[in-house]
Amino acid sequence: TEITDLPARDSLNPGSLQLVSKFKNPSSSCSVDVSAVWWERAAAKEPCIITACEDVVSLWKPLDTLQWEKVHTWHFTEVPVLQIVPVPDVYNLICVALGNLEIREIRALLCSSGDESEKQVLLKSGNIKAVLGLTKRRLVSSIGTFCNQQVQIMTFAEDGGSKDEQLLMPPDETILAFAEVQGMQDALLGTTTVNNIVIWNLKTGQLLKKVHIDDSYQASVCHRAYSEMGLLFVVLSHPCAKESQVFGSPVFQLLVINPKTAQSVGILLCCLPPGQAGRFLEGDVKDHVAAAVLTSGTIAVWDLLLGHCTAVLPPASDQSWSLVKWSGTDSHLLAGQKDGNVFIYRY
Amino acid sequence: CRTADLGPISLNWFEELSSEAPP
């Protein structure tokens, strides 16, 4: 069993991030993702960390001393791991997307109940364009492009076992990303390659509306949406946005949509504070906070209710950040580097 | 937010769109 470095608890970071714990995944391949999930061991559910490198995915459980112990590893020898796909409300199961540049497979990782040995099950294969784990133990994926696209919801049993499948009506446009709607469990959003936001009814599979959004920023990606007072508030990122002299580089945008009329207005542009540069590289949105890794190697955090950047985390130990995720088990921020270092901050 | 730009708002938009959209 590998036990990680001692954590540091007293370091204060710029803004409102406080370092709680850190560890290094000693894998030799490139670190590609990190996530926090609930995992059940000996009839108790624990908040665990999942790390993914190109050829191995590891589950780390917390020890009393804020150290982390590696308890399970799954190995991938044929196709490299691209991302972790957490599925909320399912314990003892994590999904991963595998592929080279694009996703070719989605696999479920679990342990057999008898000897606790690691197992992996192939769930989907093909030209997978987007995948997202949803509340109520659901996983949505889109396979194919344009008219040959299949959008499918898979529902897991509570123990990760038997599953049910349902098709959603495809939009005849290639889907870039999916986003859940907070406060409306039966609604799902997707962004497409032609800058449309599509809205589905997950219960019936109906495609309810297509909303064309401002063409100022191409290839916008939806991260999360909120339903309030008959309107949809959608958080988009703009990986392809060019820097402008007036606003700097817009990293996230909060857009309000009237689903009835398909009209939309941008209400908040999350730009970098003065002195910071870079474009959106990858990011995560949870509740009212949005975090992004920038091309400069810095992490920036915005409070969407306050409407401004609340924390900037420069590269640590002379190494750029490459990953940022909000924990699914508490209010922590997970920040990762390519060499396997994972830092856990309290926000 | 200039909600006038967005047209008439319905609190039951999800049910209304579901009843109008093709099955």
Side-chain angles (χ1 to χ4, degrees):
Chain A
T1 303
E2 292 167 55
I3 294 187
T4 61
D5 297 341
L6 278 169
R9 217 199 155 117
D10 54 351
S11 320
L12 277 169
N13 292 282
S16 45
L17 292 170
Q18 184 189 8
L19 184 62
V20 173
S21 170
K22 64 178 179 179
F23 64 94
K24 185 174 172 75
N25 183 8
S27 170
S28 57
S29 68
C30 183
S31 183
V32 294
D33 206 354
V34 63
S35 186
V37 297
W38 291 101
W39 202 271
E40 189 173 305
R41 287 166 53 86
K45 292 183 178 72
E46 292 178 305
C48 293
I49 303 284
I50 302 269
T51 56
C53 297
E54 287 174 328
D55 59 359
V56 63
V57 172
S58 306
L59 175 83
W60 304 75
K61 76 161 200 169
L63 300 175
D64 293 341
T65 50
L66 278 175
Q67 290 178 311
W68 295 86
E69 180 189 16
K70 193 191 284 188
V71 286
H72 290 297
T73 54
W74 293 265
H75 295 274
F76 303 87
T77 52
E78 290 174 15
V79 187
V81 179
L82 285 175
Q83 67 177 97
I84 298 167
V85 186
V87 185
D89 309 326
V90 182
Y91 302 109
N92 295 14
L93 177 142
I94 187 90
C95 291
V96 288
L98 309 169
N100 290 296
L101 286 175
E102 298 207 317
I103 303 171
R104 280 172 46 192
E105 289 182 0
I106 300 167
R107 287 177 179 263
L109 312 183
L110 56 162
C111 294
S112 61
S113 51
D115 58 0
E116 282 279 299
S117 62
E118 294 87 2
K119 291 198 308 179
Q120 43 179 294
V121 179
L122 179 65
L123 298 177
K124 294 268 162 212
S125 63
N127 180 15
I128 299 164
K129 290 296 179 188
V131 58
L132 182 70
L134 306 172
T135 52
K136 300 209 293 198
R137 308 190 300 275
R138 298 168 297 178
L139 182 84
V140 61
S141 60
S142 70
I143 301 182
T145 55
F146 305 112
C147 303
N148 298 317
Q149 194 170 220
Q150 195 178 57
V151 189
Q152 198 166 47
I153 298 275
M154 187 181 277
T155 305
F156 294 94
E158 201 166 340
D159 62 357
S162 64
K163 50 197 183 291
D164 180 44
E165 292 193 5
Q166 183 205 345
L167 287 175
L168 302 184
M169 187 176 283
D172 295 338
E173 294 167 16
T174 305
I175 296 162
L176 278 176
F178 295 107
E180 278 210 286
V181 182
Q182 208 160 305
M184 194 168 262
Q185 287 192 330
D186 292 326
L188 177 71
L189 296 193
T191 35
T192 74
T193 48
V194 290
N195 255 21
N196 279 335
I197 291 181
V198 289
I199 308 170
W200 286 278
N201 180 332
L202 286 174
K203 261 195 172 160
T204 61
Q206 289 167 292
L207 180 62
L208 300 181
K209 206 78 171 178
K210 270 188 197 178
V211 179
H212 189 70
I213 51 174
D214 188 356
D215 281 321
S216 309
Y217 308 110
Q218 289 300 310
S220 301
V221 174
C222 56
H223 289 262
R224 199 150 190 90
Y226 317 89
S227 175
E228 285 286 339
M229 302 298 287
L231 297 170
L232 275 178
F233 294 81
V234 185
V235 184
L236 301 170
S237 66
H238 298 305
C240 303
K242 292 191 178 77
E243 291 193 43
S244 84
Q245 286 189 326
V246 184
F247 298 117
S249 178
V251 179
F252 290 105
Q253 184 181 193
L254 187 62
L255 195 73
V256 61
I257 294 174
N258 181 351
K260 275 293 276 184
T261 61
Q263 298 295 309
S264 65
V265 178
I267 52 170
L268 175 67
L269 214 46
C270 296
C271 295
L272 291 170
Q276 297 291 327
R279 285 186 295 112
F280 177 93
L281 197 61
E282 79 141 55
D284 194 22
V285 181
K286 184 185 173 187
D287 299 328
H288 63 278
V289 279
V293 176
L294 309 168
T295 48
S296 60
T298 293
I299 287 174
V301 179
W302 285 266
D303 186 311
L304 301 171
L305 294 176
L306 296 174
H308 61 78
C309 181
T310 51
V312 173
L313 198 60
S317 314
D318 292 331
Q319 267 209 71
S320 293
W321 298 112
S322 59
L323 305 166
V324 69
K325 287 278 154 45
W326 293 106
S327 164
T329 58
D330 47 38
S331 63
H332 291 168
L333 183 83
L334 312 174
Q337 296 170 332
K338 284 262 184 268
D339 67 354
N341 276 316
V342 175
F343 293 67
I344 302 168
Y345 293 91
R346 183 180 296 115
Y347 178 72
Chain B
C1 168
R2 296 161 300 160
T3 49
D5 294 350
L6 298 170
I9 293 166
S10 168
L11 293 179
N12 298 317
W13 65 269
F14 191 72
E15 293 73 21
E16 289 169 15
L17 292 181
S18 297
S19 66
E20 294 162 10

